[in-house]
Amino acid sequence: MVNYRNFLCFLWIFVSLTLGLKAQAEYNWLSRPHAVKSLDSLLHQAPRIALKTEFYPHGFLDSLLQSPTKSWLQTDSLVIEKKIQNLAQAFFEDLSFGNPRPAFKFQGYVFELRKNEVSMLVDSYLKKQSIVNLVNHLNNSSSEVRSLLSILQSSQDSLVPNPSKIAQLTLSANHYRWLHHIRKNVLLTVVNIPAAQLKVYQGNQVALKMKVVLGRPARPTRVLTAQIKNLIINPNWYVPRSIATEELLPEIQKNIRYFYASHLDLLDKNNQVVDAKTVDWKALSKNYFPYTFRQKTGVWNTLGILKIPFDNPYRLYLHDTSEKKLFASSNRFYSHGCIRLEDPIRYGKLLLGPNSRAMDTLKIEGPYYNIPSKWIKVSKVAPLIIWYNLIDFDEKGEVVYLENIYK
């Protein structure tokens, strides 16, 4: 009889422990009232870390925290636990990826957002540490985000806060959160239009930085994502129709010598070369122009020694230029939309990596004339971002506020 009672006692203890462990596993949040309170507090303070409280409907948390913790694991507890899990996941994803994230006119390359990574971080910090520490970890992992949040909080605490500055700091902090997340493990090129600057990231490090010339306000460079797959050494320039009919044709109609001085070929619809002397130039116009201009390779070529194409609907590409003097200007918005590179050879070598031998013999200075074009494949994954961010960073990591050139 005694043994039977002992058996029942041990069975009761075993069942209690099992149910307790099961409850702990099922109720990661409800079994940790301090964590729930911390989460609720963080959501209320979201604007301090460049997020918006209204993104996270958490009125039920306020009600829950006003009730005794002993009642949390009763009716509808699984439903409430799931709501807290979803709320926490959304909050920490926004801390990791930003909200809002950058918007692009065209997305030729889609960056992976590693949501499972966020879930594992939340689970780890919830069980072993404090979720407040996770917030600090995510905010401090990017030097850009850390700097922007510091300035944002100072601006919010100012006796005379500047709403437009606060809004821009909030937006940029989230865009840099996204950038920090997606630039891991790739060779990433980022062109920031207002800065007229290109940066190449290898992880969190800037491997290369240079000036660029971008589209003038009347013909702006588009924001987009793409993947760089090829380089073209000694490219021909196939003149866009708008430039051909609006800029070149009127000059040629004035004097045919302009055609030859520009080192152009005239191609028909079958891509066959046409003798310019046989053309009735006066009969041509913007509405009637059944030809294509192709500029020969050489020091005179508008694209210079290197062209870097990428898929996009705007016919944009990166390229060298014969007009080097424009890089001396602080206001580098002169192109028809394409991106002119200050140091194309260094950039090309970085893209090609160990396969850059073809670039070693190139000289950016002339003379070189009518050299056949050569395509070279970029073997590594090399995504490109062209974005419009009114905040950037200088060599020392200091914040730089930029003019809204396309306003």
Side-chain angles (χ1 to χ4, degrees):
M1 187 69 177
V2 174
N3 288 338
Y4 179 70
R5 287 178 178 175
N6 289 339
F7 170 75
L8 290 178
C9 182
F10 281 119
L11 180 62
W12 180 83
I13 293 172
F14 174 76
V15 171
S16 298
L17 288 173
T18 301
L19 291 175
L21 290 173
K22 183 179 180 183
Q24 185 80 1
E26 288 181 346
Y27 301 107
N28 282 335
W29 286 94
L30 289 178
S31 62
R32 297 176 173 87
H34 179 72
V36 175
K37 186 175 181 180
S38 294
L39 178 62
D40 185 64
S41 177
L42 287 168
L43 298 179
H44 279 289
Q45 299 176 48
R48 301 286 291 174
I49 50 177
L51 296 173
K52 295 183 178 181
T53 301
E54 55 265 33
F55 288 166
Y56 316 103
H58 64 290
F60 74 97
L61 278 188
D62 296 331
S63 301
L64 183 69
L65 289 169
Q66 292 175 5
S67 62
T69 56
K70 292 181 180 179
S71 67
W72 287 13
L73 299 178
Q74 295 178 3
T75 308
D76 296 331
S77 56
L78 283 175
V79 174
I80 295 174
E81 172 72 20
K82 188 63 177 177
K83 288 177 69 175
I84 299 174
Q85 288 176 4
N86 292 340
L87 190 63
Q89 182 70 19
F91 176 68
F92 284 104
E93 282 183 8
D94 288 349
L95 280 176
S96 300
F97 315 143
N99 186 1
R101 296 160 202 155
F104 298 98
K105 296 285 187 182
F106 171 75
Q107 292 193 62
Y109 186 91
V110 178
F111 294 91
E112 178 189 6
L113 299 180
R114 301 180 298 279
K115 295 185 178 183
N116 288 340
E117 184 179 292
V118 176
S119 299
M120 290 188 290
L121 278 172
V122 173
D123 188 57
S124 174
Y125 275 79
L126 182 61
K127 290 179 179 178
K128 298 179 181 179
Q129 302 181 47
S130 162
I131 60 168
V132 174
N133 290 343
L134 177 54
V135 171
N136 294 333
H137 166 72
L138 293 173
N139 286 337
N140 291 322
S141 60
S142 163
S143 60
E144 297 104 329
V145 173
R146 183 171 62 248
S147 296
L148 292 174
L149 291 183
S150 176
I151 299 171
L152 172 65
Q153 290 165 10
S154 296
S155 299
Q156 291 170 335
D157 294 337
S158 172
L159 294 176
V160 187
N162 184 333
S164 61
K165 181 180 180 181
I166 289 172
Q168 184 58 58
L169 287 164
T170 298
L171 181 67
S172 291
N174 284 290
H175 287 185
Y176 278 103
R177 278 175 171 140
W178 175 80
L179 179 64
H180 174 72
H181 182 79
I182 59 98
R183 70 190 175 196
K184 296 176 182 177
N185 305 318
V186 294
L187 184 70
L188 176 65
T189 299
V190 178
V191 175
N192 189 10
I193 295 173
Q197 188 174 78
L198 175 149
K199 293 180 182 178
V200 182
Y201 292 94
Q202 289 182 317
N204 290 325
Q205 301 301 314
V206 177
L208 180 63
K209 183 168 69 171
M210 72 179 71
K211 298 174 182 177
V212 293
V213 174
L214 295 159
R216 54 184 182 266
R219 296 200 176 184
T221 300
R222 308 289 184 166
V223 293
L224 55 78
T225 67
Q227 183 174 350
I228 297 171
K229 299 179 181 180
N230 301 286
L231 310 181
I232 307 173
I233 296 175
N234 299 310
N236 289 108
W237 182 38
Y238 288 84
V239 183
R241 182 179 178 84
S242 60
I243 300 176
T245 58
E246 296 173 17
E247 300 180 26
L248 300 187
L249 179 58
E251 295 300 324
I252 295 170
Q253 288 174 329
K254 293 176 187 176
N255 191 337
I256 189 62
R257 290 182 182 178
Y258 188 89
F259 175 86
Y260 297 106
S262 299
H263 305 279
L264 297 172
D265 289 325
L266 186 67
L267 308 179
D268 64 17
K269 291 183 177 180
N270 296 318
N271 213 34
Q272 299 299 307
V273 176
V274 176
D275 186 349
K277 295 176 182 178
T278 66
V279 174
D280 182 4
W281 291 98
K282 298 296 183 181
L284 302 178
S285 67
K286 182 178 179 179
N287 296 324
Y288 175 68
F289 189 76
Y291 301 106
T292 298
F293 287 134
R294 179 182 65 191
Q295 191 175 42
K296 298 171 184 175
T297 63
V299 290
W300 49 68
N301 190 282
T302 298
L303 306 187
I305 204 168
L306 186 68
K307 175 183 176 182
I308 304 173
F310 50 88
D311 291 339
N312 70 95
Y314 312 112
R315 299 183 179 180
L316 300 185
Y317 42 83
L318 302 134
H319 65 88
D320 182 22
T321 177
S322 56
E323 296 184 272
K324 308 295 184 185
K325 62 183 180 180
L326 296 180
F327 294 109
S329 173
S330 59
N331 184 26
R332 297 184 296 277
F333 301 92
Y334 299 100
S335 83
H336 294 81
C338 287
I339 301 96
R340 305 177 191 176
L341 303 169
E342 179 185 29
D343 196 346
I345 290 184
R346 280 188 65 197
Y347 182 46
K349 287 182 177 181
L350 186 59
L351 288 173
L352 294 175
N355 299 322
S356 65
R357 183 175 298 177
M359 302 285 295
D360 293 337
T361 57
L362 289 179
K363 294 182 179 179
I364 203 69
E365 305 298 335
Y368 53 95
Y369 310 97
N370 298 331
I371 302 173
S373 298
K374 183 176 182 180
W375 286 67
I376 304 176
K377 182 179 180 182
V378 176
S379 57
K380 64 184 71 175
V381 177
L384 165 69
I385 295 170
I386 303 176
W387 71 353
Y388 198 94
N389 198 324
L390 291 174
I391 292 179
D392 213 311
F393 295 84
D394 63 17
E395 293 80 0
K396 297 180 181 179
E398 299 294 328
V399 169
V400 178
Y401 298 93
L402 302 166
E403 180 185 354
N404 188 358
I405 194 69
Y406 289 167
K407 59 186 174 182

